[in-house]
Amino acid sequence: MNLTESFMPTTSQNPVAVAESIIASFQTLPTIPAAATRAIQLLNGPDPDLSEVADIILADQVIAARVIRIINSPLYKLLHEVESVKQALIYLGPQKVFEIILTSCFLELTDSRTLAGIRPQSCWEHSFGVALVARNLAELSGVVKPEMAYVSGILHDVGEVILMHYRQDQFREAVQRSVERELDLHDAEREIFGTTHCEIGALLAAQWHFPELLTQVIMHHHADQMELKTPLIQVVHLADQICSDVRLKCSMDVEVPGVGAGVYGAHLPELEKQLAQLGVTDMDAFRKALTQMVDHIKAAVQAIYT
């Protein structure tokens, strides 16, 4: 399925056309650094030249510094501190560095402390949470590569980040409406914008030359139609639901008393049935890993963003 086919409207109002008009209205189009784009393309190609990748990253001091900071964060739990990009490539290998570069792109896009009245740390926890839970599900089920599950989890909500920055008042209204009416955020977005972060994120991911698999996850991770769900989309979709269920999700900077807290893990029994269909059979191992991941995610976000 190509990107154009996946964007076919399902209602009389074309959410993709609305998303395109919103993006066209931006005075400054959000961009991914050229060095990151080139490194991503090389790392996705056959037999990547690691020296060339390192040289490209080193040409952008901001990206190089972020790569080193991520590598030495609790996300990777290295025994020894890594001090250079070339050392990281040798030590971790190209696939891990691909993960890290895309994570640095996420940092680039979320490098703000004012996001439409949203508590930024909660959104970072959600993205890293979905990444780590998706990787865990990939490892337990064997249906997709864990590295791609991680990267897809990090960037699945990139459209939300864009709306936070470029449509702050409307996005805050969407979050507030989702909390007060107990709606899924993308449903509240559709009511307010006529489109969602899925269409916004996927259109931009295509412009940034992200891999097609990743663009499809960004577009369809909330899709109900099973025919749109590849194994990778299913993994990220479930990871997204699980993280929201254990309170790793975007929240407002001022909470509404008595609204939106929910019960921790209330939907996990139903979600575990879906995990079994995916091929995850050791639920005890998953529950134990999930508890550890929640603590790990909070520590990682604290380390990276402070």
Side-chain angles (χ1 to χ4, degrees), residues 91-104:
Y91 190 75
L92 295 172
Q95 191 59 52
K96 287 290 184 187
V97 174
F98 169 65
E99 289 183 23
I100 291 163
I101 292 170
L102 277 175
T103 302
S104 78

Side-chain angles (χ1 to χ4, degrees), residues 14-301:
N14 185 342
V16 179
V18 175
E20 288 173 337
S21 67
I22 289 174
I23 292 171
S25 72
F26 297 158
Q27 291 185 350
T28 304
L29 189 67
T31 59
I32 293 295
T37 300
R38 181 60 184 144
I40 289 166
Q41 290 171 338
L42 284 176
L43 288 166
N44 265 305
D47 194 23
D49 184 331
L50 299 189
S51 294
E52 184 180 358
V53 172
D55 288 341
I56 289 169
I57 296 170
L58 287 169
D60 188 317
Q61 294 182 358
V62 173
I63 291 179
R66 281 185 170 140
V67 166
I68 296 301
R69 183 168 47 145
I70 294 165
I71 289 170
N72 290 317
S73 78
L75 281 173
Y76 286 90
K77 300 180 182 177
L78 301 184
L79 296 177
H80 304 288
E81 185 169 304
V82 171
E83 297 179 351
S84 74
V85 173
K86 289 188 177 181
Q87 182 185 0
L89 281 165
I90 294 169
Y91 190 75
L92 295 172
Q95 191 59 52
K96 287 290 184 187
V97 174
F98 169 65
E99 289 183 23
I100 291 163
I101 292 170
L102 277 175
T103 302
S104 78
C105 293
F106 176 75
L107 298 189
E108 175 83 13
L109 293 166
T110 61
D111 192 13
S112 171
R113 296 299 184 269
T114 306
L115 296 174
I118 309 302
R119 189 169 68 88
Q121 186 168 331
S122 68
C123 298
W124 299 329
E125 288 174 354
H126 177 74
S127 290
F128 282 108
V130 174
L132 292 181
V133 172
R135 180 160 63 191
N136 181 259
L137 294 181
E139 290 168 346
L140 290 173
S141 67
V143 296
V144 294
K145 292 181 179 179
E147 297 85 356
M148 199 62 193
Y150 171 87
V151 168
S152 300
I154 282 283
L155 291 169
H156 76 289
D157 276 344
V158 67
E160 282 188 8
V161 176
I162 301 305
L163 290 173
M164 287 179 201
H165 281 286
Y166 290 86
R167 291 291 182 271
Q168 291 197 10
D169 291 343
Q170 289 171 291
F171 188 76
R172 180 183 174 87
E173 182 184 351
V175 173
Q176 188 164 354
R177 184 177 297 190
S178 73
V179 170
E180 292 177 349
R181 290 172 47 190
E182 298 185 355
L183 292 172
D184 286 334
L185 179 56
H186 68 284
D187 290 329
E189 290 170 351
R190 189 177 291 108
E191 289 182 3
I192 290 169
F193 293 104
T195 190
T196 76
H197 65 273
C198 302
E199 289 84 7
I200 296 282
L203 285 167
L204 287 171
Q207 291 186 32
W208 294 329
H209 304 291
F210 281 3
E212 174 72 9
L213 277 174
L214 177 54
T215 302
Q216 291 296 329
V217 172
I218 293 169
M219 180 64 190
H220 294 303
H221 66 275
H222 286 300
D224 292 327
Q225 304 99 310
M226 282 306 297
E227 65 269 18
L228 297 178
K229 290 185 180 177
T230 64
L232 181 59
I233 294 171
Q234 290 177 12
V235 165
V236 174
H237 173 77
L238 282 170
D240 182 56
Q241 290 186 302
I242 289 165
C243 286
S244 295
D245 202 48
V246 296
R247 300 179 187 165
L248 290 174
K249 59 183 177 179
C250 286
S251 60
M252 300 181 70
D253 52 5
V254 177
E255 300 291 346
V256 180
V259 176
V263 177
Y264 181 98
H267 301 100
L268 281 181
E270 178 58 35
L271 290 171
E272 287 177 353
K273 293 179 183 177
Q274 297 181 50
L275 292 180
Q277 295 172 359
L278 190 67
V280 178
T281 55
D282 192 342
M283 293 303 170
D284 288 337
F286 172 72
R287 292 188 200 103
K288 182 178 179 181
L290 180 61
T291 301
Q292 295 171 343
M293 279 188 285
V294 170
D295 293 337
H296 179 55
I297 289 156
K298 292 180 182 294
V301 168

